[in-house]
Amino acid sequence: MDEAVPLLLRAVGVFYLAGGAMVGRAVRFGAATDRMAEALGLSTSRAERIRTWWLAAGAVTTAASGLALVMLAEAAAWLFAFATLQQALYLFVVSPRWLDPDDPPEAEGRRQSTRAFVMFAVATVLVAAAAHDGHLADWRALPGWLAGFCAFGFLAWSVHLVWSVARRGA
């Protein structure tokens, strides 16, 4: 059973790495669409611009969490905890208090977001337990070339995502 744990952790990591990348792709597409609409004289709401930035930040933290878990780095526990806090803050404070009054979300979309948050919170508990049980290692124990390659690729993707959103003038 102990040898199955790293495989399971890596599978969860791949899921959230891919999920963060897909959200990032959707954010980039949405930002491009907004730029086109603004070029036609249409405007986007303040709430929509804030949501776009929040989604971009969420994509980065989710993908970082997944990447760290794929690498079995103990930083994954902290990254998952941070991403869970970020999602909870958005769902239960930022959106209902400051965004929803001006631009209410669709009920089904909010239910999906809440379900995704619960799944991520459960994954966070499992990652924390794996870290506590010694299944995750200090990132400095990883081969230097692997850590460097992953860090460079992730940083390049993150900068591209932020640049894509920032270009829209949000």
Side-chain angles (χ1 to χ4, degrees):
M1 177 66 176
D2 229 21
E3 55 275 349
V5 172
L7 185 61
L8 176 64
L9 291 171
R10 284 191 166 112
V12 170
V14 166
F15 178 79
Y16 284 111
L17 175 60
M22 286 189 289
V23 169
R25 185 176 187 273
V27 168
R28 285 193 315 272
F29 180 77
T33 303
D34 289 346
R35 279 193 304 277
M36 286 186 273
E38 288 167 359
L40 295 172
L42 304 172
S43 64
T44 54
S45 69
R46 177 182 164 275
E48 192 174 332
R49 289 190 303 271
I50 292 170
R51 278 192 183 103
T52 297
W53 278 106
W54 204 282
L55 274 173
V60 170
T61 58
T62 299
S65 301
L67 180 59
L69 193 55
V70 166
M71 296 170 60
L72 297 178
E74 66 184 6
W78 292 104
L79 289 166
F80 266 85
F82 179 77
T84 300
L85 179 63
Q86 180 187 32
Q87 290 176 25
L89 188 61
Y90 176 78
L91 280 174
F92 304 115
V93 179
V94 173
S95 189
R97 192 171 287 176
W98 294 296
L99 305 179
D100 294 354
D102 296 332
D103 187 16
E106 295 178 14
E108 181 58 25
R110 182 52 51 97
R111 278 193 294 278
Q112 288 175 347
S113 296
T114 303
R115 280 193 297 267
F117 165 73
V118 170
M119 283 178 48
F120 197 85
V122 168
T124 299
V125 170
L126 295 174
V127 170
H132 179 267
D133 292 345
H135 293 288
L136 304 179
D138 186 333
W139 67 270
R140 291 172 289 208
L142 298 168
W145 67 268
L146 177 63
F149 179 77
C150 290
F152 177 78
F154 181 76
L155 183 61
W157 175 79
S158 299
V159 166
H160 176 69
L161 176 60
V162 169
W163 177 76
S164 296
V165 173
R167 277 190 345 174
R168 75 183 279 232

